[in-house]
């Protein structure tokens, strides 16, 4: 297979943007972003502070930072803080000032998504009930704007100390807005009158199509669409494709209802940025996609390969709605979907309990590359071969790109993965990059089906110019005159490198091979997933790593204490939230009696159950503590955040329901759940341990 990519790198232009209203270290041109005058790739991970216990904020942020997140984005839901007129709550888990102070101390700038309307799977999109009932909401209607002003003025009092151009660096106004952009400009004027000052005012780029020079347009794309109608697997739709297109047909489709999109040409002189790359999906009652490791990092990889220079992930860390709040989106409030009352884990790279999942490990490698191996990657423009077909089902050609500069130095990206679609193996792939002054011939390559990877060509490391290195770069350090580079040996692709037109096979081992003043270290796939740079030293560590100043810890599962717990079926109980089980099948009840000292001296305890039913709810007395929509026949929960409930009552009650053939519990499950079965079995109770490293 011969592929030709015509590359014509162009210098960036300043652009006529008015994204900010404050002097700051951050800048932007028509191609990429800068910080202190140097190219900068924001990696923004979404975490909702009001959906996490504040005592877990720090470790969640540390876990995100270890995955390469350098910016935090968060919704500020109106109804989390101001449900009743004149009554505001910025205490406890809702303390945004405390959250921003913590982010500042960890050198993590923040993008605040302040609405007024947010969505975020929150009831009424985050509107208080009185606002949701208001006529002409989300318009320039004076009554609505007066209510927004009152809320934002109180919010401003909380965040004003952090509007320094370095802590809060972005402000998203509205979300998925289908009306005229003039309303967004009205909201910006209102925010500025109140006193908000930020380097970037942003807007979601769907569905309005044409960007406004006052708002940085933020794109998105997800591995699946659990909000979609129907109860069958979605047809492939290039969700994982490397492509010059920036818009994504499905994002927001539950609310946009076919709003027309305009052409891509409007974005040709606007930097490519995102606020909603989906490294996970929140399941709905009627659609339950399972996010595999490749699903969880494949969309972000494709966007990066396609030239995205602000990687914004939604969600990067999962969360939970506050018990007793009833703040979840549901059809009873006029929305198209039913979500869990409590659970908002989102199958995110960092779970709601702070565990780094396999796709978090994969994303860490991608972000480490952009931080330590190629900090100037954002200056390299993307170029693509001509697609012979736009059909999402056409697997006859390779989805690929290069990001390259005019000197012929760059990276080749390719993917043969699409959820729900089987690609063939591609044999003898030969890529020619046609630059204005030269032609670069890349090595012949066999690419296995399901591959997602990239490799460098024309790269100078130390004193050595490499024609190419056939392995995925991870990180680079320079010490005592030696440049050490770590690579992932791509499964099915034998690593090799070329210098001066001569090719060499590369050994797959941590010790690597020395080429003059350069050491190339090639790691097998499983080992590479454990790669961390710990105080500048390469380490292979299994578990969730947290670096906090000079200290570093790894958090892992330890001893199984399930044998000390009393778990058994029990009689029916009269409990709230019966409707939210979304099944007419027969309920079953279980009780778990916990030792009073189960958390004493322990970081946490994780319960893991085998679960064959559809949904499970967990109660302490009459309070719904937790719930779960089954996606993989497993249910996991940790106990620490429920400690105050356990101190009052040492018994938890579980209520479960089965999936049925008809009615509301006839649902789509990517991993099929058996009909009418409904068992819950405690598999293990793991002590969660933290070890200093």
């Amino acid at each position: 297979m011969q592929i030709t990519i015509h590359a014509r790198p162009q210098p960036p232009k300043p652009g006529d943007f008015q994204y900010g209203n404050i002097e700051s270290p951050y800048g932007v041109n028509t191609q990429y972003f800068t910080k202190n005058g140097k190219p900068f790739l924001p990696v923004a991970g979404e975490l909702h502070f009001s959906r996490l216990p504040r005592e877990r904020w720090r470790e969640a942020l540390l876990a995100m930072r270890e995955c390469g997140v350098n910016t935090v984005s968060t919704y500020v839901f109106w109804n989390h803080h101001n449900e009743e007129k004149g009554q505001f709550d910025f205490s406890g888990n809702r303390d945004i000032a405390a959250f921003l102070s913590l982010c500042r101390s960890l050198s993590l700038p923040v993008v605040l998504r302040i609405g007024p309307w947010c969505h975020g799977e929150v009831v009424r999109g985050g509107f208080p009930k009185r606002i949701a009932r208001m006529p002409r909401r989300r318009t320039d209607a004076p009554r609505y704007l007066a209510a927004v002003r009152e809320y934002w003025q109180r919010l401003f009092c909380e965040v004003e100390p952090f509007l320094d151009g370095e802590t809060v660096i972005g402000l998203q106004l509205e979300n998925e807005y289908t009306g005229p952009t003039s309303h967004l400009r009205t909201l910006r004027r209102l925010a500025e009158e109140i006193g908000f000052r930020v380097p970037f005012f942003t807007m979601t780029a769907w569905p309005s199509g044409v960007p406004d020079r006052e708002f940085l347009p933020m794109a998105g794309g997800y591995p699946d669409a659990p909000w979609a109608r129907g109860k069958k697997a979605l047809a492939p739709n290039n969700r994982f494709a490397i492509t010059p297109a920036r818009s994504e047909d499905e994002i927001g489709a539950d609310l946009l209802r076919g709003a027309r999109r305009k052409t891509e040409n409007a974005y040709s002189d606007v930097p490519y940025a995102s606020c909603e790359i989906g490294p996970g999906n929140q399941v709905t009652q009627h659609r339950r996609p399972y996010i595999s490791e490749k699903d969880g990092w494949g969309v972000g990889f494709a966007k990066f390969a396609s030239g995205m220079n602000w990687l914004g992930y939604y969600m990067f860390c999962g969360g939970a709605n506050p018990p007793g709040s009833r703040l979840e989106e549901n059809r009873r409030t006029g929305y198209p979907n039913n979500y869990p009352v409590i659970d908002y884990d989102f199958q995110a790279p960092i779970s709601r309990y702070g565990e780094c999942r396999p796709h978090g490990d994969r994303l860490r490698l991608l972000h480490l590359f952009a931080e330590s191996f190629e900090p100037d990657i954002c200056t390299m423009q993307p170029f693509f071969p001509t697609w012979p077909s736009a059909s999402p089902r056409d697997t006859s050609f390779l989805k690929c790109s290069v990001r390259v500069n005019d000197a012929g130095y760059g990276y080749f990206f390719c993917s043969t993965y699409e959820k729900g679609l089987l690609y063939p193996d591609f044999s003898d792939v030969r890529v020619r990059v046609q630059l204005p002054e030269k032609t670069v011939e890349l090595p012949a390559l066999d690419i296995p089906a399901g591959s997602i990877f990239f490799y460098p060509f024309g790269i100078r490391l130390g004193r050595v110019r490499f024609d190419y290195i056939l392995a995925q770069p991870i990180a680079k350090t320079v010490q005592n005159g030696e440049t050490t580079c770590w690579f992932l040996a791509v499964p099915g692709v034998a690593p090799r490198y070329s210098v001066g037109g001569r090719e060499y096979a590369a050994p797959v081992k941590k010790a690597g091979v020395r080429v003059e003043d350069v050491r190339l270290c090639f790691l097998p796939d499983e080992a590479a997933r454990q790669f961390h740079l710990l105080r500048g030293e390469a380490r292979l560590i299994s578990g969730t790593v947290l670096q906090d100043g000079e200290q570093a810890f790894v958090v892992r599962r330890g001893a199984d204490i399930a044998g000390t717990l009393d778990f058994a079926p029990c009689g029916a109980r009269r409990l709230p939230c019966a409707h939210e089980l979304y099944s007419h099948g027969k309920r079953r009840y279980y009780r778990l009696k916990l030792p009073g000292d189960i958390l004493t001296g322990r970081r946490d305890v994780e319960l893991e159950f085998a679960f064959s039913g559809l949904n499970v709810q967990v109660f302490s007395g009459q309070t719904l503590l937790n719930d779960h929509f089954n996606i993989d026949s497993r249910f996991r929960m940790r106990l620490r955040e429920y400690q105050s409930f356990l101190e009052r009552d040492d018994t938890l009650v579980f209520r479960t329901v089965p999936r049925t053939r008809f009615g509301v519990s006839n649902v789509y499950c990517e991993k099929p759940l058996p009909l009418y079965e409904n068992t819950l079995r405690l598999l293990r109770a793991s002590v969660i341990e933290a070890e200093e490293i």
Side-chain angles (χ1 to χ4, degrees):
M1 174 182 286
Q2 180 68 54
I3 297 173
T4 300
I5 299 177
H6 295 278
R8 298 290 186 271
Q10 300 295 321
K13 299 177 181 178
D16 58 346
F17 311 124
Q18 295 89 48
Y19 293 153
N21 60 0
I22 189 174
E23 291 292 325
S24 80
Y26 295 91
V28 61
N29 57 47
T30 55
Q31 295 178 13
Y32 57 87
F33 300 87
T34 61
K35 184 177 181 180
N36 296 318
K38 297 180 180 179
F40 174 62
L41 183 83
V43 179
E46 187 98 6
L47 174 152
H48 295 159
F49 66 95
S50 58
R51 278 174 158 157
L52 277 179
R54 65 182 296 166
E55 59 269 18
R56 284 199 44 242
W57 288 348
R58 187 179 191 89
E59 67 183 56
L61 291 169
L62 290 174
M64 289 170 61
R65 190 173 69 175
E66 185 64 20
C67 282
V69 169
N70 59 31
T71 305
V72 177
S73 52
T74 185
Y75 276 128
V76 187
F77 297 113
W78 192 344
N79 57 6
H80 278 212
H81 301 282
N82 177 217
E83 177 59 38
E84 302 297 329
K85 182 175 174 56
Q87 299 179 21
F88 295 90
D89 185 357
F90 289 98
S91 64
N93 301 340
R94 295 171 168 85
D95 190 342
I96 188 172
F99 179 73
L100 292 175
S101 179
L102 176 59
C103 290
R104 174 188 277 170
S105 72
L106 296 175
S107 300
L108 287 169
V110 180
V111 176
L112 295 179
R113 306 173 78 187
I114 66 171
W117 189 87
C118 293
H119 195 202
E121 291 72 63
V122 170
V123 65
R124 299 181 296 275
F127 275 163
K129 188 178 295 184
R130 70 185 189 279
I131 304 299
R133 292 172 175 170
M134 188 179 290
R136 300 185 63 204
R137 59 194 177 277
R138 303 181 74 182
T139 72
D140 286 355
R143 182 184 173 200
Y144 171 70
L145 292 178
V148 173
R149 180 185 291 274
E150 180 184 33
Y151 166 51
W152 280 0
Q153 282 178 327
R154 182 63 181 82
L155 174 62
F156 176 76
C157 294
E158 299 293 322
V159 306
E160 181 182 11
F162 308 98
L163 300 174
D164 53 9
E166 298 187 57
T167 306
V168 176
I169 66 167
L171 211 66
Q172 180 184 302
L173 304 181
E174 255 289 341
N175 188 50
E176 299 173 327
Y177 184 65
T178 60
T181 309
S182 59
H183 174 57
L184 300 184
R185 290 196 291 271
T186 297
L187 290 175
R188 174 168 172 172
R189 298 290 93 76
L190 175 57
E192 290 177 321
E193 288 172 12
I194 292 170
F196 286 95
R197 299 288 182 268
V198 289
F200 302 103
F201 283 88
T202 76
M203 62 180 283
T204 47
W206 65 94
S208 53
V210 177
D212 188 285
R213 307 314 253 191
E214 292 190 20
F215 295 92
L216 174 64
M218 308 293 267
Y222 285 89
D224 209 291
W227 53 82
R229 297 289 191 264
K231 297 177 180 178
K232 295 182 179 179
L234 295 181
N237 198 29
N238 287 325
R239 298 177 189 91
F240 297 82
I242 298 171
T243 168
R246 295 192 182 186
S247 61
E248 206 266 13
D249 289 339
E250 293 163 329
I251 187 170
D254 56 330
L255 298 168
L256 304 182
R257 296 189 178 94
R260 294 177 60 189
R261 300 178 185 277
K262 300 191 174 62
T263 66
E264 291 285 337
N265 294 335
Y267 290 90
S268 61
D269 65 345
V270 177
Y272 190 8
S274 172
C275 60
E276 292 194 24
I277 300 170
N281 269 129
Q282 178 74 344
V283 296
T284 59
Q285 161 64 14
H286 68 291
R287 293 195 61 83
R288 304 185 179 206
Y290 175 80
I291 303 303
S292 69
E293 182 177 326
K294 286 183 178 176
D295 295 339
W297 86 285
V299 176
F301 172 88
K303 302 297 186 187
F304 184 63
S306 301
M308 183 173 281
N309 277 334
W310 180 316
L311 299 173
Y313 297 96
Y314 187 102
M315 298 282 295
F316 207 92
C317 179
N321 295 316
S325 62
R326 297 312 309 267
L327 287 168
E328 86 284 1
E329 176 187 323
N330 59 77
R331 290 185 179 178
R332 283 183 163 185
T333 59
Y335 275 70
N337 307 300
N338 285 318
Y339 287 93
V341 175
I342 301 292
D343 183 62
Y344 197 71
D345 178 74
F346 218 84
Q347 303 180 71
I350 306 297
S351 79
R352 57 178 282 198
Y353 298 112
E355 179 182 21
C356 183
R357 290 184 164 123
H359 48 295
D361 291 328
R362 293 289 183 195
L363 288 168
R364 180 180 67 254
L365 301 184
L366 183 68
H367 304 151
L368 261 176
F369 159 76
E371 177 187 3
S372 75
F373 194 97
E374 189 56 80
D376 289 341
I377 184 67
C378 59
T379 68
M380 298 182 182
Q381 297 164 56
F383 299 94
F384 311 84
T386 300
W387 280 18
S389 166
S391 170
R393 291 188 176 277
D394 189 344
T395 61
S396 66
F397 62 98
L398 180 67
K399 306 291 197 313
C400 62
S401 69
V402 293
R403 296 190 68 163
V404 65
N405 62 21
D406 55 10
Y409 159 36
Y411 297 84
F412 173 76
F413 296 81
C414 68
S415 174
T416 56
Y417 178 76
E418 180 77 29
K419 190 178 179 74
L421 190 65
L422 183 62
Y423 270 85
D425 296 335
F426 289 97
S427 300
D428 196 30
V429 176
R430 298 172 182 268
V431 177
R432 175 184 297 120
V433 183
Q434 188 68 59
L435 290 153
E437 303 296 331
K438 64 187 299 187
T439 298
V440 178
E441 299 281 353
L442 300 185
L445 186 63
D446 294 339
I447 300 176
S451 296
I452 305 174
F453 70 94
F454 65 101
Y455 69 84
F457 59 88
I459 184 174
R460 178 173 290 280
L461 299 170
R463 297 192 301 268
V464 186
R465 171 76 69 180
F466 291 87
D467 305 319
Y468 54 82
I469 304 174
L470 268 183
Q472 181 171 314
I474 299 172
K476 177 175 66 178
T477 61
V478 179
Q479 191 173 20
N480 299 324
E482 180 177 83
T483 299
T484 303
C485 303
W486 288 269
F487 294 82
L488 182 155
V490 179
V493 179
R496 55 192 195 270
Y497 63 93
S498 175
V499 179
R502 184 175 178 182
E503 187 177 83
Y504 303 85
V508 181
K509 57 182 182 180
K510 186 178 178 181
V513 59
R514 188 180 180 94
V515 185
E516 295 189 31
D517 63 336
V518 179
R519 184 170 296 279
L520 306 178
C521 303
F522 299 90
L523 303 175
D525 186 70
E526 187 60 33
R529 283 198 340 192
Q530 301 174 17
F531 184 92
H532 295 263
L533 274 182
L534 199 64
R535 294 181 283 268
E537 178 188 354
R539 298 279 298 275
L540 302 183
I541 306 168
S542 177
T544 300
V545 174
L546 309 176
Q547 295 193 57
D548 194 357
E550 292 302 310
Q551 291 185 307
F553 303 87
V554 58
V555 181
R556 303 187 180 106
R557 293 174 181 82
D560 180 6
I561 59 171
T564 68
L565 307 185
D566 181 7
F567 179 75
C570 65
R573 310 287 179 93
R574 186 180 295 275
L575 297 167
C577 299
H579 173 83
E580 284 71 29
L581 284 168
Y582 302 118
S583 172
H584 299 300
K586 182 177 176 58
R587 276 85 168 128
R588 286 188 176 175
Y589 297 81
Y590 303 82
R591 59 112 180 97
L592 175 64
K593 187 173 178 60
L594 296 166
D597 62 349
I598 189 168
L599 290 171
T600 302
R602 291 170 174 155
R603 184 181 185 88
D604 210 336
V605 173
E606 180 180 272
L607 308 176
E608 182 177 355
F609 300 86
F611 179 41
S612 64
L614 183 71
N615 297 333
V616 59
Q617 296 174 326
V618 185
F619 294 87
S620 175
Q622 291 293 301
T623 301
L624 177 66
L625 292 186
N626 196 13
D627 54 2
H628 175 67
F629 286 3
N630 200 0
I631 56 171
D632 62 353
S633 300
R634 287 291 186 271
F635 168 49
R636 300 169 181 84
M637 65 177 286
R638 295 188 181 181
L639 296 178
R640 187 175 67 170
E641 68 183 65
Y642 311 116
Q643 185 165 4
S644 62
F645 291 93
L646 297 178
E647 289 171 353
R648 297 193 295 268
D649 186 345
D650 61 3
T651 300
L652 299 177
V653 174
F654 298 75
R655 181 169 64 184
T656 66
V657 292
R659 178 188 174 211
T660 63
R661 189 180 302 276
F662 304 105
V664 68
S665 54
N666 174 25
V667 305
Y668 165 70
C669 297
E670 183 175 339
K671 288 194 167 187
L673 298 177
L675 287 169
Y676 305 112
E677 291 193 21
N678 185 21
T679 59
L680 186 69
R681 180 167 55 92
L682 180 62
L683 295 177
R684 60 186 60 86
S686 303
V687 175
I688 303 301
E689 301 173 337
E691 175 189 351
E692 190 167 0
I693 51 177

